[in-house]
Amino acid sequence: MATVSATARRPGPGGPGRYAVLLAYLVLAAVMLLPFLIVLGNAVKTPAEYSQNGPLALPEGIYLDGLRDFWERVDYGDKLLNSLLISGSVAVLAVVLSVLNAYALGIGRVKGRLWVLVLFLMANTLPQEALVYPLYFLAKQTGLYDTRISVIIVFTVVQTAFGTYLLSSVLSGFPREILEAARIDGANRWQVLWRVVVPVSRPTLSVLLVFFFIWTWNEFLIPLVFLVSNDNQTVSVALGVLQGQRLMDATMTSASAVLGVLPTVAFFLIFQRTLTRGVTVGAIK
Amino acid sequence: MTPPASVTATPSPKTPGTPGGPDAPTGPGRSRPVRRQIPYALFLLPGGLLLLVVIIVPFLMNLALSFTEWEGVGEPRWVGADNYRELLGDAEFWASFRHNIAVTLAMAVIPTFLGLVLAAGLFDFIGKRFGPRTAAFLRACIYLPQVLPIAVAGIVWSWILAPDSGALNELLGLAGLESLQQDWLGDPGKALFSVMGVMVWVQVGFPLVIFMAGLQRVDPALYEAAEIDGASWWLRFRHITVPQIRPEIFVSLLWCTIASLKAFAFIYVLTKGGPGGATSVPSYYSFENFFDNTRVGYGAAVATVLALIIIALTVVFLRRQSSGEED
C-alpha cells in the first residue's frame, strides 16, 4: 500500500482528468457570471449606443453618466447608509437570536421542540403580503411607523426563522462529549454556549450572517410600505420605485442595477473568507 | 494530524448513571457546589416574544381579515366563511398548484441535488488539487446570482431570452442551431421551462454555500482514511459527504420548497403568470388579490390557506427529519 499512501493527498484521476473537472467548473462559473457582465456592459453605454447596437454588444467606451444620474436622482449615498444600517443590524441581531433559539432546541432539546420550531418557521412560511396590513396597523399604533427600527425588528424576526432551523438541525448532532467535558470543567450553560458551541459553529454562523445581510438588503415589499419618507428609504426601494415609474431607459436601469448590487457583492466577497476558515470539531481551542 | 486540543484530548470522564443528564450532580471528587442551571427554555424567551408580536399576532389579524370583505381602506365588512367558500370553487387557484410542482422541482429538488454534487466536488476535489482559493473563487461565482435582486434578474433574463436578438437565440444561431431558436418566455409550451431554468440559475448557490460550510465540520481524518483505503470520489461522496451533512440537506430541501411555494417574485418579473396563465402559481394569485385587485379579504383567505398548507408540509417534513436523526 506504499504507493497509495504516498499519493493519499491527491487521489482519483490525476493528470488530464483533473483539468477536465476544473474546466467544467469554469464553464459553469462563466454561465453564472454572464448576466452580470451584460448588466455591467450596458451600464457604461450611452443611450444612443444602446439603441443602435442592442443590449448584448460590447460597450464602445466607458460612459459613466448613467451611474452619476442615478446616484444623484435617488441620493444614493443616504440610501446606502440606510441599507447598511438596516441590513447590518438585522444580520447581527438575527444571528444572536438564532443562536439562542437553536441552543434551546438543538442542544437543550426542550419539550415539544418540533412544535416550537414550527412556530418559529411561521415567520417564513407566512407569505409576506399577508403580514403587510396587520404590521402596518401595529406600527401605527406603537408610533414606529416610518422608522428604520420597525423594519429592523420585523426582518430580525423573519430571518431568525432560517437561522433557528439550520442551527438547531446542525446542533442536534453536536458531540455530547464536548458539552459534558465543558460542564465537568465547571462551565454553566451560558458559558458553554459562548465558549464551546458558538466557536465550533462559526462557519455556519458566518453563512447566516452573509445570507441575512443579503436577503435583508434585497427586501422590497415591507420596506416600501414602512419607509415612506425619503430619508429612511433603502437602496432596493429606491431602485424598485424608479423602475416602477418607468422613467429610466435601459442603460440607466443597468446603472441602477450595478449600484444596487455592488454593495452586496462587496459584502459577500469580504465575508466569504470566513465561510471556509472553519474550526473543525477536532481542533477546538 | 493536528494536535488535539484540550477539550477533546481528555475523553470526558462520564459519571456513571447520569448519561448526559443536564442537571446531574457533579462527581464526588468535585468540591463545586451543586448549582441550579438556567432552564434551556429561557433561551427561547427573547426570540419567542418578538415572534409573538411580529408574526403570531399579525397572523391572527390576517385570519380575522380573511372573514371580511375589505378594499384596504375604510371598515372591513364581516362576511363569515364566504371567502373560503369562493376559494374552494376557484378553479384558477387550484390549477395554479399544478404549476407549483414544476416550480418546486426547479427551486428545491434540482438545486439541492446539483448543489450537493458541486459542493462535494469543490470541497473534496477542486479544493484539494487546485487549492482552497480556486474552490472559494468558483463558489463565489456560483453563489453570485443569489445576490441579485429578483427584479434585476428578471430584466437581464428577459434580454437574454428575448425572441429577436436575445443572447440565447443569437448564440444558437452562431452555433448553426437555428432550429433550436425559440420564443422562450412567450410560447405557452416553453415558458414554464424557461422560468424553471432561471430559477435553477438563481437558486443553486444557496445549497452550495450551506453544504460547503457544513463540510467544514467533517473531520478531515474521515476523508484521509477513506482515501488510504482507495475509496473512489463517488464512494466518499455517498458514504462520507452525504451522511455527514444530512442536516443541511434537509434544511435546504425544506427551505427551498417553502420558497418555491412563495415564489411569486420570479413569476412577476419574468412572465406575470402568462402566457395565458401557463406560469401562474398560488402565491402570485394571492399577491394579485391583495394589491392588484385590492380584495384584501380574499387575498387574506388565499394567504391563510397557503400558509396552512406550508405549515402542514413543514410538520410532516420535520417529523421525518427528526425520526431520521434518531436512527
Side-chain angles (χ1 to χ4, degrees):
Chain A
M1 293 304 278
T3 47
V4 178
S5 57
T7 54
R9 296 236 59 146
R10 321 188 314 116
R18 67 196 191 123
Y19 288 102
V21 176
L22 184 67
L23 188 71
Y25 269 100
L26 286 174
V27 169
L28 180 71
V31 171
M32 301 311 267
L33 288 183
L34 185 70
F36 287 87
L37 297 177
I38 294 175
V39 175
L40 197 62
N42 286 326
V44 297
K45 282 179 195 168
T46 64
E49 189 188 337
Y50 176 87
S51 52
Q52 200 185 338
N53 300 342
L56 302 169
L58 282 175
E60 285 162 3
I62 306 286
Y63 169 85
L64 294 175
D65 283 13
L67 289 165
R68 197 174 309 129
D69 281 356
F70 177 75
W71 186 294
E72 279 162 12
R73 195 178 313 181
V74 300
D75 268 329
Y76 185 76
D78 291 353
K79 305 284 186 286
L80 190 65
L81 281 181
N82 285 334
S83 277
L84 283 175
L85 177 78
I86 291 172
S87 306
S89 315
V90 168
V92 173
L93 291 173
V95 168
V96 172
L97 274 188
S98 305
V99 167
L100 293 177
N101 289 343
Y103 188 50
L105 296 172
I107 287 185
R109 304 190 85 67
V110 295
K111 277 211 187 78
R113 60 181 177 279
L114 188 122
W115 294 101
V116 176
L117 188 57
V118 169
L119 271 185
F120 276 106
L121 283 180
M122 266 181 67
N124 180 265
T125 52
L126 213 56
Q128 262 185 31
E129 57 268 22
L131 292 173
V132 165
Y133 285 98
L135 281 177
Y136 172 82
F137 176 78
L138 289 176
K140 281 268 189 197
Q141 293 289 308
T142 49
L144 287 174
Y145 182 66
D146 198 15
T147 60
R148 283 164 290 195
I149 191 98
S150 64
V151 175
I152 292 176
I153 294 172
V154 169
F155 284 120
T156 297
V157 179
V158 169
Q159 312 296 26
T160 299
F162 177 73
T164 302
Y165 179 34
L166 178 68
L167 263 185
S168 60
S169 301
V170 168
L171 289 183
S172 56
F174 197 88
R176 293 273 136 185
E177 312 85 67
I178 297 180
L179 298 173
E180 188 73 2
R183 199 179 60 75
I184 285 163
D185 285 347
N188 63 29
R189 283 180 184 166
W190 185 252
Q191 291 163 330
V192 169
L193 173 60
W194 297 108
R195 294 190 196 157
V196 179
V197 176
V198 168
V200 173
S201 317
R202 263 232 342 243
T204 309
L205 297 184
S206 310
V207 169
L208 292 181
L209 196 81
V210 171
F211 281 1
F212 294 166
F213 185 91
I214 290 168
W215 289 344
T216 310
W217 188 279
N218 288 338
E219 283 290 349
F220 178 71
L221 182 62
I222 286 180
L224 175 74
V225 176
F226 274 65
L227 302 173
V228 280
S229 65
N230 210 17
D231 292 342
N232 293 333
Q233 257 183 17
T234 62
V235 172
S236 309
V237 172
L239 208 132
V241 168
L242 261 188
Q243 260 167 26
Q245 290 169 341
R246 310 224 170 268
L247 291 172
M248 295 192 293
D249 52 39
T251 53
M252 194 164 168
T253 303
S254 304
S256 72
V258 168
L259 285 176
V261 166
L262 216 55
T264 41
V265 173
F267 182 85
F268 177 72
L269 292 180
I270 292 166
F271 272 81
Q272 82 142 338
R273 298 190 316 143
T274 65
L275 300 181
T276 34
R277 211 196 295 138
V279 190
T280 42
V281 172
I284 307 160
K285 190 87 197 132
Chain B
M1 281 297 295
T2 43
S6 59
V7 182
T8 42
T10 47
S12 52
K14 280 204 183 90
T15 325
T18 56
D23 290 314
T26 39
R30 303 267 164 174
S31 56
R32 205 174 294 279
V34 180
R35 284 168 307 175
R36 273 194 61 79
Q37 289 273 36
I38 331 159
Y40 278 113
L42 213 59
F43 288 91
L44 291 171
L45 196 63
L49 281 179
L50 278 170
L51 185 79
L52 184 71
V53 177
V54 178
I55 304 294
I56 310 283
V57 169
F59 175 67
L60 296 176
M61 288 164 77
N62 180 69
L63 193 64
L65 274 179
S66 72
F67 292 101
T68 67
E69 201 168 280
W70 190 39
E71 281 79 48
V73 287
E75 281 291 299
R77 197 166 59 82
W78 187 264
V79 294
D82 276 7
N83 287 325
Y84 289 95
R85 256 192 295 276
E86 187 184 337
L87 190 60
L88 274 179
D90 191 334
E92 204 183 326
F93 175 70
W94 297 107
S96 63
F97 265 104
R98 230 174 322 126
H99 303 138
N100 225 121
I101 296 172
V103 173
T104 303
L105 205 64
M107 282 187 70
V109 181
I110 297 173
T112 301
F113 180 76
L114 257 180
L116 193 59
V117 174
L118 289 174
L122 282 182
F123 181 80
D124 190 24
F125 190 92
I126 299 282
K128 284 178 188 160
R129 264 155 244 218
F130 297 96
R133 275 168 179 273
T134 316
F137 168 77
L138 290 168
R139 181 189 55 193
C141 293
I142 298 171
Y143 179 73
L144 220 49
Q146 281 272 306
V147 171
L148 206 62
I150 291 173
V152 178
I155 295 170
V156 182
W157 279 99
S158 53
W159 284 339
I160 296 177
L161 298 175
D164 317 306
S165 76
L168 186 55
N169 279 349
E170 299 264 298
L171 218 62
L172 288 172
L174 280 180
L177 296 167
E178 281 88 352
S179 57
L180 290 178
Q181 290 176 347
Q182 308 285 351
D183 182 0
W184 298 101
L185 290 171
D187 182 335
K190 311 262 165 21
L192 190 57
F193 292 102
S194 305
V195 171
M196 285 171 72
V198 176
M199 284 170 166
V200 172
W201 177 80
V202 170
Q203 203 71 6
V204 69
F206 171 74
L208 177 77
V209 167
I210 300 179
F211 293 159
M212 283 189 75
L215 285 170
Q216 304 295 319
R217 220 179 36 233
V218 182
D219 190 346
L222 269 179
Y223 281 102
E224 279 161 24
E227 282 166 16
I228 289 168
D229 288 348
S232 65
W233 184 87
W234 176 247
L235 277 177
R236 295 200 300 276
F237 176 74
R238 273 191 45 201
H239 295 290
I240 303 176
T241 307
V242 173
Q244 290 289 327
I245 57 170
R246 238 178 99 95
E248 277 90 353
I249 296 172
F250 270 104
V251 171
S252 163
L253 263 181
L254 176 59
W255 206 258
C256 295
T257 304
I258 294 174
S260 76
L261 285 165
K262 308 195 312 175
F264 99 89
F266 284 105
I267 306 293
Y268 186 79
V269 297
L270 283 172
T271 61
K272 298 237 188 307
T279 56
S280 180
V281 291
S283 49
Y284 183 67
Y285 195 58
S286 147
F287 182 84
E288 253 184 329
N289 277 299
F290 264 113
F291 299 106
D292 287 353
N293 311 337
T294 55
R295 293 188 59 200
V296 177
Y298 194 59
V302 175
T304 305
V305 170
L306 195 58
L308 291 180
I309 290 172
I310 298 177
I311 290 170
L313 196 88
T314 311
V315 172
V316 171
F317 198 92
L318 289 178
R319 277 252 165 86
R320 289 216 50 180
Q321 181 180 356
S322 66
S323 73
E325 271 163 17
E326 268 130 45
D327 285 349

